[in-house]
């Protein structure tokens, strides 16, 4: 997640949305005669790929954010998701971790590690699969073959085809596997101990063992 200190004190994402509606800058969301803004909460959680927040935005680890709530304990009966954070709308100064995708910094860092692992095995190619929801396509199979280091430019950057990082990534020898669920805020990485260790030690990536 990211934090913009210049937005501290603005309340929550829900507060900011209601203020914008009241000022006429936004129209309320309605279904029939139901005003959704009156009966739901805007959490601020993004869906899909999140780009790096420019200065003065700062990257904020989950652990650092949660340390601000000493009486709160994440519900680790569930994989990383909204149950790991206090309920309700996020502070407006926080861009929460996205659902269904790695963010830009995390994806670049992970690709760097996976590319090194592929070089060690002399297999520089991998497969990238998109499930129906992140591909926004329920008719065709979205399966790509690419060099690991080319994945960001091929799929995401410079007007790439997708608004999410891949659902699954794996090499031909199946020595590692990456899984990002559309409804979750974490990515599972399986592989040899050396690969997992590099993920755990990377300064950009924050990891945990679950369950």
């Amino acid at each position: 997640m990211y934090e913009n200190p210049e937005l501290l004190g603005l309340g929550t994402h829900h507060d900011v949305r209601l203020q914008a509606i009241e000022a006429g800058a936004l129209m309320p969301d309605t279904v029939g005669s139901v005003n959704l803004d009156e009966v739901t909460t805007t959490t601020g959680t993004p869906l899909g790929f999140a780009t790096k927040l420019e200065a003065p935005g700062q990257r904020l680890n989950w652990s650092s954010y949660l340390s601000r709530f000493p009486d709160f304990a994440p519900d680790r009966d569930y994989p990383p998701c909204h149950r790991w954070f206090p309920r309700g709308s996020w502070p407006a100064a926080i861009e929460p971790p996205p659902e269904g995708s790695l963010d830009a910094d995390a994806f670049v860092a992970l690709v760097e590690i996976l590319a090194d692992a592929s070089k060690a095995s002399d297999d520089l190619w991998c497969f990238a699969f998109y499930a129906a929801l992140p591909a926004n396509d329920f008719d065709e199979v979205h399966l790509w073959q690419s060099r690991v280091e080319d994945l960001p430019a091929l799929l995401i950057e410079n007007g790439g085809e997708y608004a999410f990082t891949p659902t699954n990534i794996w090499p031909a020898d199946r020595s590692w596997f990456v899984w990002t669920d559309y409804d979750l805020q974490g990515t599972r990485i399986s592989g040899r101990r050396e690969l997992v260790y590099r993920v755990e030690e990377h300064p950009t990536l924050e990891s945990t063992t679950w369950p």
Side-chain angles (χ1 to χ4, degrees):
M1 70 184 81
Y2 296 91
E3 183 172 36
N4 185 344
E6 292 187 350
L7 301 181
L8 292 172
L10 293 183
T12 67
H13 283 270
H14 189 68
D15 294 332
V16 170
R17 177 171 175 79
L18 293 183
Q19 291 165 10
I21 291 173
E22 184 177 350
L26 290 176
M27 294 296 294
D29 289 333
T30 59
V31 176
S33 61
V34 178
N35 184 337
L36 296 180
D37 289 292
E38 294 178 349
V39 297
T40 63
T41 299
T42 299
T43 64
T45 301
L47 178 63
F49 186 71
T51 57
K52 183 176 181 177
L53 197 64
E54 299 297 330
Q58 304 167 350
R59 193 165 178 81
L60 180 64
N61 287 339
W62 292 24
S63 56
S64 298
Y65 179 73
L66 289 172
S67 68
R68 303 175 185 180
F69 306 91
D71 297 327
F72 174 81
D75 189 346
R76 293 177 61 94
D77 287 339
Y78 297 87
C81 64
H82 67 278
R83 295 176 184 269
W84 285 40
F85 301 102
R87 294 185 63 181
S89 182
W90 285 74
I94 301 287
E95 181 179 299
E99 291 184 345
S101 179
L102 289 159
D103 64 69
D105 284 335
F107 191 40
V108 169
L110 180 59
V111 164
E112 173 188 301
I113 293 172
L114 298 178
D116 285 346
S118 297
K119 291 174 184 176
S121 66
D122 295 323
D123 188 354
L124 303 180
W125 294 86
C126 72
F127 298 95
F129 169 71
Y130 280 87
L133 283 170
N136 194 29
D137 186 349
F138 287 81
D139 299 316
E140 302 293 334
V141 175
H142 287 244
L143 179 64
W144 294 78
Q145 186 175 16
S146 166
R147 291 168 61 94
V148 179
E149 59 264 37
D150 293 337
L151 286 175
L154 175 66
L155 303 174
I156 298 289
E157 298 172 353
N158 304 316
E161 186 167 343
Y162 301 100
F164 296 78
T165 54
T167 306
N168 303 123
I169 312 171
W170 69 95
D173 66 3
R174 302 183 183 182
S175 58
W176 46 263
F177 189 75
V178 177
W179 168 44
T180 303
D181 189 282
Y182 184 81
D183 293 311
L184 301 180
Q185 291 171 290
T187 290
R188 168 158 279 189
I189 302 164
S190 305
R192 297 188 177 97
R193 180 63 235 177
E194 308 86 67
L195 173 67
V196 174
Y197 177 77
R198 286 202 60 189
V199 171
E200 292 173 336
E201 294 300 311
H202 198 287
T204 299
L205 301 173
E206 187 175 21
S207 62
T208 186
T209 299
W210 184 90

